[in-house]
Amino acid sequence: MRVLISGGGTGGHVYPALAVAARLRRPDAGAEAAEPHTLLWIGSTHGMERQLVERAGVAYRGIDTGQLRVNNPLTAVVNAGKMVRGLGQSLAAVDHFRPHVCFVTGGYVCAPVVLACRLRRVPVLIYLPDMVPGWAIRWLSRLAQRVAVTFPAAAAAFGGEVPQGKAVVTGYPVRAELVQAARDRQAARQTLARLLSWPELAQEDGLPLLLIWGGSLGARSINQATWQGVAELLPHARVLHIVGQRDWPLYQEWARDQWPPTHLSPEWTSRYRAVPYLHEEMAYALAAADLSVARAGASTLGEFPVARLPSVLVPLPIAGVNQARNAQELVRHGAAVMLEDGHLTDRLVPTLLALLADPQRRQAMAEALARLARPDAACAIARELGALGRAGT
Ligand SMILES: CC(=O)N[C@H]1[C@@H](OP(=O)(O)OP(=O)(O)OC[C@H]2O[C@@H](n3ccc(=O)[nH]c3=O)[C@H](O)[C@@H]2O)O[C@H](CO)[C@@H](O)[C@@H]1O
């Protein structure tokens, strides 16, 4: 079967689709097809998805796209022109590749691709990772045959589950490497220590590993609160801080001018490690960590349960993104703690110290997470795609 894939803009739209792509390329006894499917990914010409998709070895075609919801009317007109060009390029790609089915995960680039598939009668499956869809996915879902969702509560936006509505609950597709790494935390920690050249991490000294990050782009407020409070955390934990590419120059400035503080011993100083971004190492970081601080992007709904990783979630306070609803879903199950962005400076360190000092609470959160885990989600979506591709529109 030929499967057209599209998703882009940020990592949160790319990694779930890559997990499904990996599944489609390596069918085994558990999968539907007897031989690997042929894949083509349509992303934007200059999008960050290009690097991630090519890194994974999936064929990539770039098209023109632009954000339509912008304040400047001139930009809106220019971007609308790009979208029209993108539709023409998508139609050409569909005519050339002749897909049996199309799979999209979000980002502006998906709009012309879904429209082209609709015009050429190619069935479309959308995956919505978040609990609440943005306006673009709501609109595109009208053109799609199926919408896969992470948890049952997300199905209502699409008329409920099949056969009444369009939704199927598959779970969040996580990378196979994470499923594998989460089976043995200790081994994951050893691997991470090797990949990051951080030998102290491999010591079995009972010191918890705290993973701090802010989504695929990094989060300024989380970074600043971390730099302000990290010295207080180091007597109780090792801290792996993914700063993000955008704020990396800020980290370098802070490290040059303010780190380490004179009162901190070299042993404690070496417990803090900052990195701009993690690629293949990310699966091991999630599996090895004992506690995380993160934004509440959709990945936390899938990756944290599989990794059984308790967290303090700090939803991005921007209208239209709706990360709070993602965080609430984990909090509702006793699987995470939520902190408002505006309270980071005062409350982040005390909240973390309380959780680090309470292994029983972390264990209860890990057990709640384990009940939400769907390590087979990529396979479930691959199966849905197979069924749609065989049925046609
Ligand atoms: C600002 C914004 O619009 N954010 C949205 C975006 O977030 P964002 O792109 O941050 O998405 P997520 O938090 O859902 O996913 C981030 C992904 O990047 C990976 N990762 C991250 C850092 C790193 O160093 N290495 C790495 O591999 C994570 O493991 C995860 O798989 O898409 C999500 C999915 O629709 C939404 O829920 C978010 O609201």
Side-chain angles (χ1 to χ4, degrees):
M1 201 168 72
R2 287 181 298 279
V3 184
L4 186 65
I5 303 178
S6 184
T10 68
H13 297 138
V14 181
Y15 289 107
L18 280 179
V20 174
R23 185 73 214 171
L24 291 168
R25 286 202 302 180
R26 274 185 278 122
D28 55 32
E32 281 283 308
E35 54 188 64
H37 303 299
T38 307
L39 311 180
L40 174 67
W41 189 302
I42 298 187
S44 64
T45 313
H46 304 294
M48 55 84 78
E49 59 271 21
R50 178 184 278 269
Q51 188 210 357
L52 297 178
V53 172
E54 289 182 346
R55 199 181 170 96
V58 176
Y60 188 91
R61 168 114 22 128
I63 63 165
D64 294 326
T65 59
Q67 204 171 334
L68 293 181
R69 281 196 148 183
V70 287
N71 291 332
N72 184 334
L74 192 65
T75 313
V77 172
V78 171
N79 287 355
K82 286 186 187 165
M83 279 295 199
V84 172
R85 272 204 305 282
L87 176 59
Q89 292 158 337
S90 300
L91 282 168
V94 169
D95 289 341
H96 186 254
F97 183 60
R98 291 184 296 110
H100 294 93
V101 65
C102 172
F103 174 52
V104 307
T105 52
Y108 285 95
V109 70
C110 295
V113 176
V114 170
L115 209 52
C117 286
R118 176 72 182 205
L119 291 170
R120 294 294 189 258
R121 304 179 65 80
V122 176
V124 174
L125 183 145
I126 294 177
Y127 170 60
L128 168 72
D130 295 279
M131 293 306 297
V132 180
W135 69 274
I137 292 293
R138 256 179 224 279
W139 186 81
L140 288 177
S141 70
R142 296 189 195 149
L143 306 178
Q145 274 63 31
R146 289 274 183 281
V147 184
V149 296
T150 305
F151 289 135
F158 309 104
E161 289 182 49
V162 169
Q164 286 80 20
K166 284 187 177 178
V168 280
V169 183
T170 57
Y172 183 104
V174 302
R175 299 165 237 203
E177 293 78 6
L178 174 56
V179 177
Q180 185 64 35
R183 292 201 181 114
D184 187 342
R185 292 185 92 75
Q186 201 48 44
R189 214 166 152 140
Q190 305 283 342
T191 307
L192 185 66
R194 184 170 48 75
L195 292 173
L196 296 181
S197 307
W198 192 9
E200 295 94 329
L201 188 60
Q203 287 167 21
E204 293 188 21
D205 54 9
L207 204 60
L209 175 64
L210 173 61
L211 174 66
I212 303 183
W213 59 297
S216 59
L217 305 174
R220 176 77 45 92
S221 56
I222 293 178
N223 288 341
Q224 283 172 335
T226 301
W227 292 324
Q228 186 189 308
V230 68
E232 285 177 73
L233 298 170
L234 296 179
H236 312 281
R238 287 198 176 83
V239 177
L240 174 57
H241 180 189
I242 310 175
V243 174
Q245 306 281 6
R246 197 177 39 186
D247 276 1
W248 190 245
L250 287 188
Y251 162 74
Q252 289 173 314
E253 205 175 296
W254 171 82
R256 189 190 60 222
D257 300 341
Q258 295 175 53
W259 185 255
T262 43
H263 68 274
L264 217 58
S265 74
E267 192 212 327
W268 286 6
T269 309
S270 70
R271 291 180 182 176
Y272 174 70
R273 173 64 67 92
V275 292
Y277 194 81
L278 295 181
H279 284 284
E280 286 71 21
E281 308 89 348
M282 188 65 181
Y284 299 98
L286 290 164
D290 299 280
L291 181 64
S292 186
V293 177
R295 281 282 183 228
S299 64
T300 56
L301 298 171
E303 293 177 343
F304 285 7
V306 167
R308 298 183 301 285
L309 178 57
S311 59
V312 176
L313 296 176
V314 189
L316 180 69
I318 289 186
V321 172
N322 219 334
Q323 290 193 354
R325 188 63 193 80
N326 292 342
Q328 282 155 7
E329 190 65 16
L330 291 189
V331 171
R332 190 167 78 81
H333 287 93
V337 169
M338 185 157 88
L339 199 61
E340 280 181 33
D341 194 77
H343 293 155
L344 267 172
T345 319
D346 301 338
R347 304 229 185 114
L348 181 64
V349 170
T351 306
L352 289 172
L353 289 177
L355 283 166
L356 288 168
D358 193 348
Q360 277 167 345
R361 171 122 194 256
R362 283 190 275 125
Q363 180 59 29
M365 290 164 88
E367 282 163 20
L369 284 157
R371 288 191 286 276
L372 297 173
R374 291 289 299 262
D376 59 343
C379 190
I381 292 179
R383 229 180 287 121
E384 288 293 330
L385 285 168
L388 264 189
R390 278 192 300 277
T393 44

